[in-house]
Structures are given as C-alpha cells and as structure tokens.
Amino acid sequence: MGRSAAFFDLDKTVIAKSSALAFGRPFYRDGLITRRDVVKSAYAQLMFRLGGTDEQTMARTRDYLAALCKGWPVDQVRQIVAETLHELINPYVYAEAAALIEEHQAAGRDVVLVSASGEEMVRPIGELLGVADVIATRMSVVDGRYSGEVEFYAAGPSKVDAVGELARERGYDLDQSYAYSDSVSDRPLLECVGHPSAVNPDRALRKLAAENGWPVLEFRHPVPLGRRLRERPAVPVAAAAIGVGVGVAIGIAWYGRHRRARATTA
C-alpha cells in the first residue's frame, strides 16, 4: 500500500468565496481591470460552474481568462495578492476545512490544493493554510508579463491529469486518498480517489453524491487564522449537512454598490 494524500478544491470548499473574484477590487484599484471586467469575470465563473465539465464551457472560460490577463505585469499581480491576502482571504477560511486539513496532515497525508484559479493566488493561500502543494492554472509569461496564453488550465479532467502525475511522482495510492469539492465540475477529481466527499455541494453534485453514497459535508464557519489558533479546537468537521449557492454574487454586488455610489455623487 502506497502513501495517501488529500486533494482539496479551493472556492466554497476551503474558503467561503471565489479566490479569483476576491482580488477584483485591488485589481480594479490598481488599473488591471475595468468595472465591466468585474461583472464579466463573475459571469464567466458562473457559466463555468453551471456548465460543469462541458468542454466548450471550459474552453471559453480559459480563453477569456487568457485575454483578460494579457499584458499584466506578473510582479504587480504577486504584490497585490501579498498585500491583500490577509484582508481578503484569511477571514473567509472555513474553520471546518482548516480542521480537516490539520487532521489529514496529522495522519501523515500530504494535502494538495487543486484550483482553477491562478497559481499566483492559490500558492499564497496554501502557505496561509500551511499547505505547500498546489495544482493551479498557470499562465505563460514573456518578459515579465502574461502573454495571453494558458500553459495549464486546472479544470475538469485536467485536474485529474495533474493529480495522476503527482501520484506517480510521489507514490500516492489514489484508492486510499481523499478529495473534497463543492462543484459537479470536479466530478473527475472526486471519482479518481477512493474517498471522495462533497462539500457545500451544488445541486448536481448533491445528486451525484447521493447516487454514489459519498459523504456530504456542510462548512459554514469562516474564522480568521489568528482566532482559530486562540480558540482551538475549531468547529467540528462532523457538522455535516447540505449545500450552498455559487459565490459569484460577491463581485456583482460590489459592482452594483460602486455604480450606485458614482451615480449618487455625480
């Protein structure tokens, strides 16, 4: 029997919001995106999540992501993420997810974050959680700027390809490994391990979990890291129940407030 690992999707599984949309405000503030881009990005993510692993939907989302980021200085993106990580992400980490990650680590399993968001966002979030290994979308870089090409899009079956490659490198026994996700788009990821769980599942994933007898977990308590350390043990992971909706409304709601504020002051 080989080593085992635990693979965690990020958005709505480990954190209570979209990691990509979370940085929309500082990206807008620093001139990387326009107000229209905020709404379009939210819509693109919604279409991806509703479209699941549909090949055409994934291709459109990937191409939109590449076009949006083209020309951005990589160092500027990393600086924005580093400066705003504790404000925008830390308060939204589910206590239940943090406790579960610690349980797997205490059992000697490697923990891997697997997310369609960019590696520049996912890796610092992993460091915040004490997770060194990430599988995330990688953009091509030329002369310090994103070229508009995607080297690797960590979505759908591509996640499984990356998980399989990592398992071969490290000798993971996937039949003894675990995976957690909230979205039916991660069906291939959940089906490639012996111990899949649906976390805050969308309707399609909830149905799939019921058909396959997979555990369904409800994570409901985002707690900042400092508070978790002071108040351990965290909220019990066994607080398991049923789903929650897609989080793209965060970006749309922010855009609406911003637009109304401009109209009032005009």
Side-chain angles (χ1 to χ4, degrees), residues 181-196:
S181 179
D182 73 301
S183 174
V184 74
S185 64
D186 278 332
R187 176 176 184 168
L189 173 65
L190 294 169
E191 291 181 334
C192 84
V193 299
H195 302 283

Side-chain angles (χ1 to χ4, degrees), residues 1 23-25 31 63 95 123 138 171 173 185 235 262:
M1 184 180 297
F23 295 101
R25 186 179 301 186
D63 293 345
R123 191 165 295 282
R138 296 190 304 273
D173 181 349
S185 64
V235 177
R262 286 176 59 90

Side-chain angles (χ1 to χ4, degrees), residues 18-239:
S18 160
S19 52
L21 293 180
F23 295 101
R25 186 179 301 186
F27 285 173
Y28 170 76
R29 179 199 64 206
D30 285 23
L32 293 179
I33 59 175
T34 65
R35 289 173 297 174
R36 185 182 179 201
D37 289 331
V38 174
V39 174
K40 286 181 68 178
S41 297
Y43 180 76
Q45 181 168 347
L46 175 61
M47 290 301 99
F48 169 72
R49 295 178 72 83
L50 294 182
T53 55
D54 174 76
E55 202 169 306
Q56 189 175 20
T57 302
M58 285 198 296
R60 284 200 303 266
T61 307
R62 180 200 62 217
D63 293 345
Y64 172 75
L65 175 69
L68 178 67
C69 299
K70 185 176 182 179
W72 290 7
V74 177
D75 287 345
Q76 184 180 5
V77 172
R78 289 175 177 163
Q79 181 178 355
I80 291 172
V81 172
E83 290 176 349
T84 59
L85 182 68
H86 285 272
E87 172 192 353
L88 299 177
I89 299 298
N90 183 28
Y92 297 96
V93 175
Y94 285 121
E96 300 94 333
L100 186 55
I101 287 171
E102 290 177 356
E103 286 182 16
H104 281 298
Q105 291 172 330
R109 297 185 191 95
D110 290 347
V111 173
V112 185
L113 291 184
V114 188
S115 174
S117 293
E119 187 174 33
E120 290 80 3
M121 302 175 191
V122 179
R123 191 165 295 282
I125 294 173
E127 292 172 358
L128 182 71
L129 294 162
V131 175
D133 295 314
V134 305
I135 293 171
T137 295
R138 296 190 304 273
M139 309 295 292
S140 175
V141 176
V142 177
D143 296 330
R145 294 178 179 267
Y146 295 116
S147 69
E149 301 292 330
V150 179
E151 284 186 2
F152 172 70
Y153 188 42
S158 295
K159 283 187 177 182
V160 177
D161 293 341
V163 165
E165 182 177 346
L166 190 62
R168 288 189 293 273
E169 289 177 0
R170 298 189 177 178
Y172 295 149
D173 181 349
L174 291 180
D175 287 338
Q176 298 297 321
S177 293
Y178 297 74
Y180 302 88
S181 179
D182 73 301
S183 174
V184 74
S185 64
D186 278 332
R187 176 176 184 168
L189 173 65
L190 294 169
E191 291 181 334
C192 84
V193 299
H195 302 283
S197 292
V199 177
N200 300 339
D202 58 31
R203 183 178 301 177
L205 180 56
R206 185 179 302 148
K207 179 181 177 183
L208 183 66
E211 291 172 350
N212 289 276
W214 297 344
V216 175
L217 307 178
E218 180 185 11
F219 292 172
R220 294 291 193 186
H221 301 90
V223 180
L225 177 61
R227 184 174 159 196
R228 288 200 304 273
L229 293 176
R230 290 194 304 269
E231 299 180 359
R232 297 174 81 172
V235 177
V237 174

